[in-house]
Amino acid sequence: RYGEREIFGSLNLTVPRGNTVAFVGESGSGKSTAVKLLVGLLQPQSGHVTVNGFDLSEIKLKSYYESIAYLPQEPAVFDGTLRENLVFDNTLDDAILVDAMKAVGLESLYLKLEKGLNTQLGEKGVSLSGVERQLLALARLKFSKADIVIFDEATSAIDNLTEEAVMKTVMDSLSGKTVIAIAHRLDSIRAFDRIIVFQDGRIAEQGKFDELIDKQQYFYELYHRAAE
């Protein structure tokens, strides 16, 4: 709950290791709250959130964050070079970093920067557009050792065609990892293992994309409303 406002009265959800799962629903349905609970940004007033059998409230968040990658709508870009924002203090060949940027459509950014990978991005990435910040966060995943990847509308600034091409490449590279995504565009989650549909703080339905469309219930309504 937030103050007196209860979001979940009863929620039971399991995400199997290695699955790709999408959370969808209208604003205020609970999907963002569910992600914040999973990331440890919120604590439940009752019940438990467990990861690999461990209660999240009893895990040191620093160690937990080493095993997850969280990509919010406004990704973190710190005051440092492009290289540092990709791999922090790790040492990798320039060619590997450039290939990671090409894979997400950031080659044009790299080519226009006078100092290339050594270009200072400024505080909070002030020199980058919203699209470039989101693509940079996607490029970072190439070097992440996280077992769990959580997308929280992480591609909202990217146009449809670019998102489709980039996310196919990104999802291919995440094969075998657990992926949880709040979907900005419902077409982008067609291939996910399971879609969880939230409505008013409860799970209204769940299943694969085509199954939910064929049922012609709430997800069907959301999909066609978004397509109009």
Side-chain angles (χ1 to χ4, degrees), residues 86 93-103 107 110 117 143:
L86 280 169
D93 289 342
D94 287 6
I96 295 174
L97 304 187
V98 173
D99 282 346
M101 295 179 70
K102 285 181 179 178
E107 184 180 15
Y110 169 73
L117 292 165
F143 313 106

Side-chain angles (χ1 to χ4, degrees), residues 33-191:
T33 299
V35 161
K36 288 175 182 176
L37 288 166
L38 285 170
V39 176
L41 297 175
L42 289 176
Q43 294 291 329
Q45 277 70 40
S46 63
H48 301 276
V49 179
T50 60
V51 180
N52 295 338
F54 296 97
D55 192 318
L56 195 55
S57 66
E58 299 174 1
I59 300 173
K60 289 184 178 180
L61 287 181
K62 183 178 179 181
S63 63
Y64 177 52
Y65 290 155
E66 291 173 356
S67 64
I68 69 169
Y70 173 55
L71 283 74
Q73 190 171 358
E74 292 289 340
V77 179
F78 59 87
D79 189 2
T81 65
L82 176 57
R83 182 193 307 277
E84 290 166 339
N85 271 280
L86 280 169
V87 292
F88 304 104
D89 57 354
N90 293 330
T91 303
L92 291 172
D93 289 342
D94 287 6
I96 295 174
L97 304 187
V98 173
D99 282 346
M101 295 179 70
K102 285 181 179 178
V104 299
L106 269 180
E107 184 180 15
S108 59
L109 170 66
Y110 169 73
L111 292 175
K112 77 179 182 183
L113 296 177
E114 187 176 341
K115 295 184 179 179
L117 292 165
N118 297 317
T119 302
Q120 293 285 336
L121 298 184
E123 187 175 357
K124 295 184 179 179
V126 67
S127 63
L128 303 180
S129 68
V131 173
E132 288 168 341
R133 285 194 289 271
Q134 289 189 345
L135 292 175
L136 176 61
L138 293 173
R140 276 189 199 136
L141 288 177
K142 173 76 172 178
F143 313 106
S144 172
K145 296 179 181 178
D147 299 315
I148 302 169
V149 180
I150 300 175
F151 297 101
D152 189 350
E153 297 199 51
T155 58
S156 59
I158 304 171
D159 68 83
N160 291 26
L161 291 178
T162 302
E163 179 191 39
E164 183 178 353
V166 168
M167 286 307 295
K168 184 181 186 311
T169 300
V170 169
M171 292 302 294
D172 285 346
S173 72
L174 297 177
S175 178
K177 296 189 177 187
T178 304
V179 176
I180 299 168
I182 292 181
H184 177 65
R185 300 180 182 96
L186 299 185
D187 274 323
S188 67
I189 55 172
R190 283 181 176 271

Side-chain angles (χ1 to χ4, degrees), residues 1-17:
R1 67 175 65 243
Y2 297 102
E4 294 300 312
R5 182 183 170 218
E6 184 178 84
I7 305 299
F8 296 126
S10 177
L11 177 68
N12 187 7
L13 172 65
T14 300
V15 177
R17 182 196 297 268

Side-chain angles (χ1 to χ4, degrees), residues 23-27 29 31 186 196-199 218 222:
F23 293 171
V24 306
E26 295 181 285
S27 177
S29 63
K31 59 187 188 298
L186 299 185
I196 311 293
V197 186
F198 287 89
Q199 184 180 26
Y218 186 51
L222 288 176

